[in-house]
Amino acid sequence: MAPKPKILVQGKFPDAFIAALAARFALVRHDPHVPPAEAQGWDADIRALVSWARYAVTAEMMDRLPNLEILAGFGVGYDRFDLKAAKQRRIVVTNTPDVLTDDVADLAIGLTIATLRRIAALDRFVRAGRWAAGETPALARKVSGKRLGIVGLGRIGRAIAGRAEGFAMAIAYTGPRAYVDSPYRYVADLAKLARDSDVLVIACRADPSTRHMIDADVLRELGAKGILVNIARGSLVDEVALVAALKDGTLGGAGLDVYADEPRVTPDLFGLDNVVVMPHIGSATEETRQAMADLVIANLESHFAGRGPLTPVSP
Ligand code: 8YV
């Protein structure tokens, strides 16, 4: 029997996934906090690297793995992977699209409702005994019928739009181009979309060209009653401008799953009742994490069987 292909696994994963990998491959584990230069066991016979989307995979790492054939990302985003360096070294890069779309879209709607209806704030209100003490909570805001602006009408953006239809929302989107197959209104200019929206949801790809695209101007256009929801990447938002806008009332509220410097969340946000903060859990359900794990393995198996990857990234 041919020896199992050797693969490097970056980051902590659920035991079941590690066991499934170990049944098929010879594993070398890597703690992403250890610099590649100090990493142990990075032999020349490592042929694949599995990494959480949240961890960087750099040219330096690839140089230490001269026979790397495939980088299989656990997640749909690949902003932390050096794709140029991978291409130069003919390393195939894969991600896990589609299988997490529903969960991320569900969370976008959840954050929208939680922020407008003040679900987290009112949970704190009850727990603090304020209701029992006779206090009347401030009114929240209606969800149904709101104007929803979606930044990026890709797979996840479309899934958010589909759900928003159930709330009778008026849906518009921005992005590099209009989709002729989309029933939603296209607004080329992001600031104009923000001005025309009650809720602006970010669902686009993070790369150097989209860094800080949600800046002070966009937030001002979204306005004092507007809500920003981010389930994409923290780098898309100028977080300093966001905190300032939330604090001085220029922006109405925010529902956030992602941040500029995860897992650190700027404590400025913690004191703001109009903000809902989640610890980057868009895809973190039992069902979806299993589906992501299955897809990572399917990509590796297909590659090693000579059939090519199933879901290569298409930058
Ligand atoms: C994961 C994500 O939590 O798929 C992505 O791009 O951001 C999330 O699904 C991420 O992979 C964590 O590293």
Side-chain angles (χ1 to χ4, degrees), residues 23-53:
R24 297 162 174 84
F25 310 105
L27 306 193
V28 178
R29 306 293 302 272
H30 175 61
D31 174 348
H33 304 104
V34 173
E38 293 166 27
Q40 304 292 316
W42 288 31
D43 309 332
D45 50 353
I46 289 174
R47 296 172 63 192
L49 168 57
V50 172
S51 174
W52 282 99

mmCIF file of all heavy atoms in Angstrom, residues 23-53:
data_model
loop_
_atom_site.group_PDB
_atom_site.id
_atom_site.type_symbol
_atom_site.label_atom_id
_atom_site.label_comp_id
_atom_site.label_asym_id
_atom_site.label_seq_id
_atom_site.Cartn_x
_atom_site.Cartn_y
_atom_site.Cartn_z
ATOM 1 N N ALA A 23 -7.122 9.366 9.428
ATOM 2 C CA ALA A 23 -7.443 8.072 8.798
ATOM 3 C C ALA A 23 -6.933 8.022 7.361
ATOM 4 O O ALA A 23 -6.713 6.952 6.805
ATOM 5 C CB ALA A 23 -8.956 7.845 8.832
ATOM 6 N N ARG A 24 -6.750 9.185 6.774
ATOM 7 C CA ARG A 24 -6.384 9.240 5.349
ATOM 8 C C ARG A 24 -4.976 9.745 5.079
ATOM 9 O O ARG A 24 -4.390 9.466 4.037
ATOM 10 C CB ARG A 24 -7.356 10.168 4.614
ATOM 11 C CG ARG A 24 -8.785 9.695 4.622
ATOM 12 C CD ARG A 24 -9.726 10.834 4.282
ATOM 13 N NE ARG A 24 -11.103 10.371 4.137
ATOM 14 C CZ ARG A 24 -11.938 10.199 5.163
ATOM 15 N NH1 ARG A 24 -11.560 10.482 6.399
ATOM 16 N NH2 ARG A 24 -13.165 9.765 4.958
ATOM 17 N N PHE A 25 -4.465 10.559 6.016
ATOM 18 C CA PHE A 25 -3.194 11.234 5.790
ATOM 19 C C PHE A 25 -2.290 11.111 7.009
ATOM 20 O O PHE A 25 -2.766 10.850 8.110
ATOM 21 C CB PHE A 25 -3.423 12.731 5.500
ATOM 22 C CG PHE A 25 -4.458 12.987 4.442
ATOM 23 C CD1 PHE A 25 -5.732 13.454 4.771
ATOM 24 C CD2 PHE A 25 -4.176 12.747 3.105
ATOM 25 C CE1 PHE A 25 -6.699 13.666 3.800
ATOM 26 C CE2 PHE A 25 -5.132 12.960 2.112
ATOM 27 C CZ PHE A 25 -6.406 13.423 2.470
ATOM 28 N N ALA A 26 -0.996 11.303 6.795
ATOM 29 C CA ALA A 26 -0.061 11.397 7.920
ATOM 30 C C ALA A 26 -0.036 12.863 8.340
ATOM 31 O O ALA A 26 0.260 13.737 7.523
ATOM 32 C CB ALA A 26 1.323 10.937 7.487
ATOM 33 N N LEU A 27 -0.379 13.134 9.598
ATOM 34 C CA LEU A 27 -0.547 14.535 10.011
ATOM 35 C C LEU A 27 0.656 15.098 10.741
ATOM 36 O O LEU A 27 1.258 14.431 11.587
ATOM 37 C CB LEU A 27 -1.751 14.680 10.957
ATOM 38 C CG LEU A 27 -3.112 14.151 10.523
ATOM 39 C CD1 LEU A 27 -4.194 14.692 11.466
ATOM 40 C CD2 LEU A 27 -3.407 14.525 9.086
ATOM 41 N N VAL A 28 0.956 16.352 10.444
ATOM 42 C CA VAL A 28 1.877 17.149 11.249
ATOM 43 C C VAL A 28 1.052 18.335 11.718
ATOM 44 O O VAL A 28 0.376 18.977 10.905
ATOM 45 C CB VAL A 28 3.083 17.643 10.410
ATOM 46 C CG1 VAL A 28 4.005 18.519 11.252
ATOM 47 C CG2 VAL A 28 3.838 16.467 9.812
ATOM 48 N N ARG A 29 1.035 18.586 13.023
ATOM 49 C CA ARG A 29 0.208 19.689 13.541
ATOM 50 C C ARG A 29 1.060 20.947 13.684
ATOM 51 O O ARG A 29 2.235 20.879 14.005
ATOM 52 C CB ARG A 29 -0.373 19.312 14.913
ATOM 53 C CG ARG A 29 -1.133 17.991 14.945
ATOM 54 C CD ARG A 29 -2.422 18.052 14.132
ATOM 55 N NE ARG A 29 -3.336 19.100 14.571
ATOM 56 C CZ ARG A 29 -4.259 18.935 15.521
ATOM 57 N NH1 ARG A 29 -4.380 17.773 16.133
ATOM 58 N NH2 ARG A 29 -5.054 19.926 15.869
ATOM 59 N N HIS A 30 0.411 22.112 13.414
ATOM 60 C CA HIS A 30 1.119 23.377 13.564
ATOM 61 C C HIS A 30 0.269 24.381 14.342
ATOM 62 O O HIS A 30 -0.892 24.621 13.995
ATOM 63 C CB HIS A 30 1.469 23.953 12.181
ATOM 64 C CG HIS A 30 2.102 25.307 12.265
ATOM 65 N ND1 HIS A 30 3.291 25.529 12.926
ATOM 66 C CD2 HIS A 30 1.702 26.522 11.795
ATOM 67 C CE1 HIS A 30 3.591 26.818 12.854
ATOM 68 N NE2 HIS A 30 2.656 27.433 12.181
ATOM 69 N N ASP A 31 0.882 24.950 15.363
ATOM 70 C CA ASP A 31 0.240 26.018 16.118
ATOM 71 C C ASP A 31 0.551 27.334 15.391
ATOM 72 O O ASP A 31 1.724 27.702 15.259
ATOM 73 C CB ASP A 31 0.838 26.029 17.540
ATOM 74 C CG ASP A 31 0.341 27.197 18.377
ATOM 75 O OD1 ASP A 31 -0.284 28.127 17.813
ATOM 76 O OD2 ASP A 31 0.606 27.180 19.590
ATOM 77 N N PRO A 32 -0.482 28.035 14.905
ATOM 78 C CA PRO A 32 -0.233 29.240 14.098
ATOM 79 C C PRO A 32 0.507 30.339 14.849
ATOM 80 O O PRO A 32 1.003 31.288 14.235
ATOM 81 C CB PRO A 32 -1.637 29.698 13.692
ATOM 82 C CG PRO A 32 -2.580 28.987 14.584
ATOM 83 C CD PRO A 32 -1.915 27.743 15.050
ATOM 84 N N HIS A 33 0.581 30.223 16.177
ATOM 85 C CA HIS A 33 1.285 31.258 16.931
ATOM 86 C C HIS A 33 2.789 31.013 16.956
ATOM 87 O O HIS A 33 3.551 31.870 17.400
ATOM 88 C CB HIS A 33 0.702 31.357 18.342
ATOM 89 C CG HIS A 33 -0.774 31.612 18.295
ATOM 90 N ND1 HIS A 33 -1.712 30.632 18.555
ATOM 91 C CD2 HIS A 33 -1.471 32.721 17.948
ATOM 92 C CE1 HIS A 33 -2.927 31.141 18.390
ATOM 93 N NE2 HIS A 33 -2.801 32.404 18.025
ATOM 94 N N VAL A 34 3.216 29.872 16.474
ATOM 95 C CA VAL A 34 4.651 29.570 16.398
ATOM 96 C C VAL A 34 5.170 30.060 15.042
ATOM 97 O O VAL A 34 4.616 29.684 14.001
ATOM 98 C CB VAL A 34 4.894 28.045 16.542
ATOM 99 C CG1 VAL A 34 6.344 27.705 16.287
ATOM 100 C CG2 VAL A 34 4.433 27.561 17.907
ATOM 101 N N PRO A 35 6.215 30.900 15.031
ATOM 102 C CA PRO A 35 6.727 31.384 13.747
ATOM 103 C C PRO A 35 7.216 30.216 12.885
ATOM 104 O O PRO A 35 7.800 29.266 13.421
ATOM 105 C CB PRO A 35 7.914 32.289 14.147
ATOM 106 C CG PRO A 35 7.780 32.520 15.606
ATOM 107 C CD PRO A 35 6.952 31.418 16.177
ATOM 108 N N PRO A 36 6.968 30.267 11.574
ATOM 109 C CA PRO A 36 7.358 29.162 10.692
ATOM 110 C C PRO A 36 8.827 28.771 10.854
ATOM 111 O O PRO A 36 9.168 27.585 10.796
ATOM 112 C CB PRO A 36 7.107 29.716 9.289
ATOM 113 C CG PRO A 36 6.148 30.821 9.458
ATOM 114 C CD PRO A 36 6.267 31.331 10.859
ATOM 115 N N ALA A 37 9.688 29.758 11.102
ATOM 116 C CA ALA A 37 11.124 29.470 11.220
ATOM 117 C C ALA A 37 11.414 28.545 12.408
ATOM 118 O O ALA A 37 12.410 27.828 12.418
ATOM 119 C CB ALA A 37 11.916 30.772 11.365
ATOM 120 N N GLU A 38 10.528 28.580 13.412
ATOM 121 C CA GLU A 38 10.747 27.748 14.611
ATOM 122 C C GLU A 38 9.908 26.473 14.612
ATOM 123 O O GLU A 38 9.959 25.680 15.552
ATOM 124 C CB GLU A 38 10.390 28.558 15.871
ATOM 125 C CG GLU A 38 11.345 29.713 16.116
ATOM 126 C CD GLU A 38 10.776 30.690 17.144
ATOM 127 O OE1 GLU A 38 9.968 30.279 17.997
ATOM 128 O OE2 GLU A 38 11.144 31.871 17.071
ATOM 129 N N ALA A 39 9.110 26.286 13.566
ATOM 130 C CA ALA A 39 8.187 25.151 13.544
ATOM 131 C C ALA A 39 8.948 23.839 13.421
ATOM 132 O O ALA A 39 9.993 23.762 12.775
ATOM 133 C CB ALA A 39 7.214 25.301 12.386
ATOM 134 N N GLN A 40 8.386 22.821 14.063
ATOM 135 C CA GLN A 40 9.020 21.487 14.057
ATOM 136 C C GLN A 40 8.297 20.578 13.068
ATOM 137 O O GLN A 40 7.086 20.680 12.899
ATOM 138 C CB GLN A 40 8.923 20.853 15.448
ATOM 139 C CG GLN A 40 9.510 21.685 16.568
ATOM 140 C CD GLN A 40 11.024 21.785 16.448
ATOM 141 O OE1 GLN A 40 11.702 20.800 16.174
ATOM 142 N NE2 GLN A 40 11.545 22.997 16.620
ATOM 143 N N GLY A 41 9.050 19.672 12.488
ATOM 144 C CA GLY A 41 8.450 18.593 11.687
ATOM 145 C C GLY A 41 8.005 18.991 10.295
ATOM 146 O O GLY A 41 7.246 18.263 9.659
ATOM 147 N N TRP A 42 8.482 20.156 9.834
ATOM 148 C CA TRP A 42 8.080 20.586 8.487
ATOM 149 C C TRP A 42 8.997 19.925 7.464
ATOM 150 O O TRP A 42 9.913 20.541 6.927
ATOM 151 C CB TRP A 42 8.143 22.112 8.366
ATOM 152 C CG TRP A 42 7.047 22.811 9.115
ATOM 153 C CD1 TRP A 42 6.439 22.401 10.257
ATOM 154 C CD2 TRP A 42 6.431 24.050 8.751
ATOM 155 N NE1 TRP A 42 5.489 23.297 10.642
ATOM 156 C CE2 TRP A 42 5.461 24.324 9.740
ATOM 157 C CE3 TRP A 42 6.599 24.964 7.717
ATOM 158 C CZ2 TRP A 42 4.667 25.467 9.705
ATOM 159 C CZ3 TRP A 42 5.815 26.103 7.680
ATOM 160 C CH2 TRP A 42 4.854 26.349 8.668
ATOM 161 N N ASP A 43 8.740 18.661 7.162
ATOM 162 C CA ASP A 43 9.608 17.915 6.259
ATOM 163 C C ASP A 43 9.324 18.282 4.801
ATOM 164 O O ASP A 43 8.249 18.757 4.475
ATOM 165 C CB ASP A 43 9.355 16.404 6.409
ATOM 166 C CG ASP A 43 9.423 15.974 7.859
ATOM 167 O OD1 ASP A 43 10.139 16.640 8.624
ATOM 168 O OD2 ASP A 43 8.728 15.000 8.220
ATOM 169 N N ALA A 44 10.296 17.942 3.981
ATOM 170 C CA ALA A 44 10.142 18.211 2.545
ATOM 171 C C ALA A 44 9.056 17.333 1.928
ATOM 172 O O ALA A 44 8.626 17.576 0.810
ATOM 173 C CB ALA A 44 11.474 17.988 1.831
ATOM 174 N N ASP A 45 8.609 16.306 2.661
ATOM 175 C CA ASP A 45 7.578 15.441 2.050
ATOM 176 C C ASP A 45 6.149 15.860 2.400
ATOM 177 O O ASP A 45 5.194 15.147 2.080
ATOM 178 C CB ASP A 45 7.819 13.959 2.385
ATOM 179 C CG ASP A 45 8.038 13.724 3.878
ATOM 180 O OD1 ASP A 45 8.131 14.732 4.617
ATOM 181 O OD2 ASP A 45 8.094 12.555 4.285
ATOM 182 N N ILE A 46 5.986 17.026 3.007
ATOM 183 C CA ILE A 46 4.615 17.516 3.258
ATOM 184 C C ILE A 46 4.018 18.006 1.934
ATOM 185 O O ILE A 46 4.596 18.862 1.260
ATOM 186 C CB ILE A 46 4.628 18.639 4.318
ATOM 187 C CG1 ILE A 46 4.940 18.026 5.687
ATOM 188 C CG2 ILE A 46 3.285 19.379 4.345
ATOM 189 C CD1 ILE A 46 5.121 19.013 6.799
ATOM 190 N N ARG A 47 2.860 17.454 1.599
ATOM 191 C CA ARG A 47 2.271 17.750 0.284
ATOM 192 C C ARG A 47 1.023 18.620 0.346
ATOM 193 O O ARG A 47 0.567 19.118 -0.686
ATOM 194 C CB ARG A 47 1.939 16.423 -0.418
ATOM 195 C CG ARG A 47 3.183 15.608 -0.698
ATOM 196 C CD ARG A 47 2.825 14.211 -1.206
ATOM 197 N NE ARG A 47 2.110 14.264 -2.476
ATOM 198 C CZ ARG A 47 1.480 13.215 -3.014
ATOM 199 N NH1 ARG A 47 1.474 12.049 -2.393
ATOM 200 N NH2 ARG A 47 0.857 13.327 -4.167
ATOM 201 N N ALA A 48 0.462 18.735 1.534
ATOM 202 C CA ALA A 48 -0.762 19.548 1.660
ATOM 203 C C ALA A 48 -0.737 20.320 2.970
ATOM 204 O O ALA A 48 -0.100 19.905 3.939
ATOM 205 C CB ALA A 48 -2.003 18.656 1.611
ATOM 206 N N LEU A 49 -1.421 21.456 2.955
ATOM 207 C CA LEU A 49 -1.577 22.262 4.167
ATOM 208 C C LEU A 49 -3.068 22.541 4.343
ATOM 209 O O LEU A 49 -3.727 23.028 3.420
ATOM 210 C CB LEU A 49 -0.789 23.576 4.014
ATOM 211 C CG LEU A 49 -1.023 24.688 5.034
ATOM 212 C CD1 LEU A 49 -0.766 24.222 6.462
ATOM 213 C CD2 LEU A 49 -0.123 25.889 4.723
ATOM 214 N N VAL A 50 -3.576 22.203 5.516
ATOM 215 C CA VAL A 50 -4.965 22.532 5.867
ATOM 216 C C VAL A 50 -4.898 23.666 6.873
ATOM 217 O O VAL A 50 -4.180 23.563 7.879
ATOM 218 C CB VAL A 50 -5.688 21.315 6.491
ATOM 219 C CG1 VAL A 50 -7.061 21.723 7.031
ATOM 220 C CG2 VAL A 50 -5.829 20.189 5.465
ATOM 221 N N SER A 51 -5.609 24.750 6.607
ATOM 222 C CA SER A 51 -5.565 25.890 7.532
ATOM 223 C C SER A 51 -6.942 26.507 7.674
ATOM 224 O O SER A 51 -7.681 26.650 6.699
ATOM 225 C CB SER A 51 -4.598 26.957 7.017
ATOM 226 O OG SER A 51 -4.668 28.105 7.839
ATOM 227 N N TRP A 52 -7.261 26.912 8.893
ATOM 228 C CA TRP A 52 -8.427 27.772 9.099
ATOM 229 C C TRP A 52 -8.235 29.021 8.246
ATOM 230 O O TRP A 52 -7.100 29.537 8.132
ATOM 231 C CB TRP A 52 -8.508 28.244 10.545
ATOM 232 C CG TRP A 52 -9.030 27.275 11.539
ATOM 233 C CD1 TRP A 52 -8.273 26.515 12.377
ATOM 234 C CD2 TRP A 52 -10.392 26.996 11.849
ATOM 235 N NE1 TRP A 52 -9.092 25.778 13.179
ATOM 236 C CE2 TRP A 52 -10.410 26.039 12.881
ATOM 237 C CE3 TRP A 52 -11.617 27.457 11.343
ATOM 238 C CZ2 TRP A 52 -11.592 25.536 13.424
ATOM 239 C CZ3 TRP A 52 -12.790 26.962 11.882
ATOM 240 C CH2 TRP A 52 -12.774 26.019 12.911
ATOM 241 N N ALA A 53 -9.374 29.535 7.724
ATOM 242 C CA ALA A 53 -9.323 30.769 6.938
ATOM 243 C C ALA A 53 -8.758 31.929 7.750
ATOM 244 O O ALA A 53 -8.193 32.867 7.212
ATOM 245 C CB ALA A 53 -10.717 31.105 6.434
#
